[in-house]
Amino acid sequence: MSIYQHFRKEEHEFIDHVLEWKEEVQNQYSPKLTDFLDPREQEMVSAIIGKGNDVLVSFFGGVDWTERKRALLYPDYYTPTEEDYGVACYEIEYPQKFVTIEHPQILGSLMSLGLRRSKFGDITVGENVQLVVAKEIASYIEMNLESIGRAKVSLRPITAADLIHVEEAYIERSATVSSLRIDVVLAAIHNLSRQKVQPFISSGHVKVNWKVIEQPSFECQEGDVLSLRGHGRSKILTIDGKTKKDKWRISVGKQK
């Protein structure tokens, strides 16, 4: 039985990476640290590595509740410590009285430094703006991140214990859709027409489970986390079967 049949086609490339990591640990008999993984990728790594093997895996992103975490694959003799995960935490200091900065601006400024998204963990925007990064790029960010939007910023190192948890809140509601295509589902969630949603998809502004989806015909599944740029995040909580008119009943959560 092929491992690939349990996953979507667009996830097969990531599966290949995980199998390579596992083989590297087996061959070198030493730990392998990944970049930050989103929750779907963490789920896949856990499923592929499994339990009771000669290779084990654990995840860390600063504290237990972080969404994005680095994975450490290691031989069964090895006992990981927090240092092994190479995580650095910062508070972003800026003149809060005069300007506000938002998550997309922060991410855009970080990406403009020429770094991959996978080098950053959670970005938390609350009373304080906090950031988790891979330790190997920490000094580079400290030297080069000077502004976000119109705000001059500086980075103050903090410990993982200083990270503040901002709870993600969803508003639940039911919807009836003609199909489970991504354009149909997003149109229903955000009260938009399919014609308005489709350009977002073709422009790469829609993600399902943290991956860009560019086909309007992409079929959604229960548990999928959807992101539409400028409209926030939503989640398909349940797919409750079909109505007498052959439409799908779904329950969705929309981020507040």
Side-chain angles (χ1 to χ4, degrees), residues 242-256:
K242 288 193 169 183
T243 66
K244 289 179 181 176
K245 294 185 177 179
D246 208 34
K247 292 192 172 185
W248 289 97
R249 283 192 305 270
I250 61 173
S251 173
V252 299
K254 186 178 176 184
Q255 196 175 40
K256 285 184 181 178

Side-chain angles (χ1 to χ4, degrees), residues 122-182:
D122 282 18
I123 300 167
T124 307
V125 181
E127 282 187 27
N128 300 301
V129 178
Q130 297 180 328
L131 171 66
V132 182
V133 306
K135 195 169 274 184
E136 61 267 24
I137 58 147
S139 59
Y140 177 80
I141 293 177
E142 284 184 37
M143 285 190 293
N144 291 284
L145 186 65
E146 296 175 340
S147 63
I148 295 173
R150 290 181 295 119
K152 293 287 182 190
V153 302
S154 60
L155 293 181
R156 180 171 64 84
I158 58 174
T159 67
D162 296 319
L163 292 171
I164 298 167
H165 191 192
V166 177
E167 195 70 50
E168 199 169 59
Y170 286 96
I171 300 168
E172 291 185 30
R173 68 182 186 85
S174 299
T176 305
V177 291
S178 57
S179 82
L180 295 174
R181 285 169 51 118
I182 184 67

Side-chain angles (χ1 to χ4, degrees), residues 14-252:
F14 182 72
I15 294 168
D16 291 337
H17 289 314
V18 179
L19 293 172
E20 286 169 14
W21 299 337
K22 183 178 181 180
E23 190 176 343
E24 190 179 322
V25 174
Q26 287 170 325
N27 291 343
Q28 298 183 8
Y29 211 50
S30 62
K32 165 72 179 176
L33 179 64
T34 74
D35 283 344
F36 286 95
L37 307 177
D38 62 46
R40 174 59 181 162
E41 289 169 335
Q42 294 167 38
E43 190 181 299
M44 291 171 67
V45 171
S46 293
I48 294 163
I49 299 302
K51 292 178 181 174
N53 295 322
D54 54 343
V55 176
L56 304 175
V57 63
S58 59
F59 304 92
F60 186 71
V63 282
D64 290 344
W65 45 257
T66 49
E67 182 176 273
R68 300 175 67 84
K69 294 179 168 71
R70 300 187 85 168
L72 187 74
L73 285 70
Y74 54 95
D76 52 10
Y77 77 87
Y78 193 81
T79 304
T81 67
E82 283 192 10
E83 281 297 306
D84 289 318
Y85 296 90
V87 170
C89 306
Y90 292 97
E91 199 150 289
I92 299 177
E93 297 187 325
Y94 65 101
Q96 290 176 302
K97 284 184 179 179
F98 307 106
V99 68
T100 59
I101 58 176
E102 296 178 345
H103 192 288
Q105 293 174 304
I106 301 164
L107 186 55
S109 297
L110 291 168
M111 301 289 279
S112 72
L113 299 178
L115 296 163
R116 296 194 306 274
R117 175 65 180 100
S118 57
K119 289 296 180 187
F120 310 111
D122 282 18
I123 300 167
T124 307
V125 181
E127 282 187 27
N128 300 301
V129 178
Q130 297 180 328
L131 171 66
V132 182
V133 306
K135 195 169 274 184
E136 61 267 24
I137 58 147
S139 59
Y140 177 80
I141 293 177
E142 284 184 37
M143 285 190 293
N144 291 284
L145 186 65
E146 296 175 340
S147 63
I148 295 173
R150 290 181 295 119
K152 293 287 182 190
V153 302
S154 60
L155 293 181
R156 180 171 64 84
I158 58 174
T159 67
D162 296 319
L163 292 171
I164 298 167
H165 191 192
V166 177
E167 195 70 50
E168 199 169 59
Y170 286 96
I171 300 168
E172 291 185 30
R173 68 182 186 85
S174 299
T176 305
V177 291
S178 57
S179 82
L180 295 174
R181 285 169 51 118
I182 184 67
D183 57 345
V184 176
V185 172
L186 282 173
I189 291 171
H190 298 288
N191 294 319
L192 300 169
S193 67
R194 282 173 67 186
Q195 288 70 30
K196 279 199 170 179
V197 170
Q198 285 173 349
F200 281 100
I201 298 171
S202 59
S203 302
H205 295 164
V206 167
K207 292 181 181 179
V208 177
N209 298 328
W210 297 271
K211 293 287 180 290
V212 172
I213 299 296
E214 295 180 331
Q215 292 78 37
S217 60
F218 178 91
E219 189 114 332
C220 296
Q221 297 177 9
E222 189 169 288
D224 280 350
V225 175
L226 318 177
S227 173
L228 176 63
R229 185 174 295 182
H231 293 265
R233 192 184 284 184
S234 55
K235 186 173 184 177
I236 301 177
L237 302 174
T238 58
I239 295 174
D240 304 313
K242 288 193 169 183
T243 66
K244 289 179 181 176
K245 294 185 177 179
D246 208 34
K247 292 192 172 185
W248 289 97
R249 283 192 305 270
I250 61 173
S251 173
V252 299

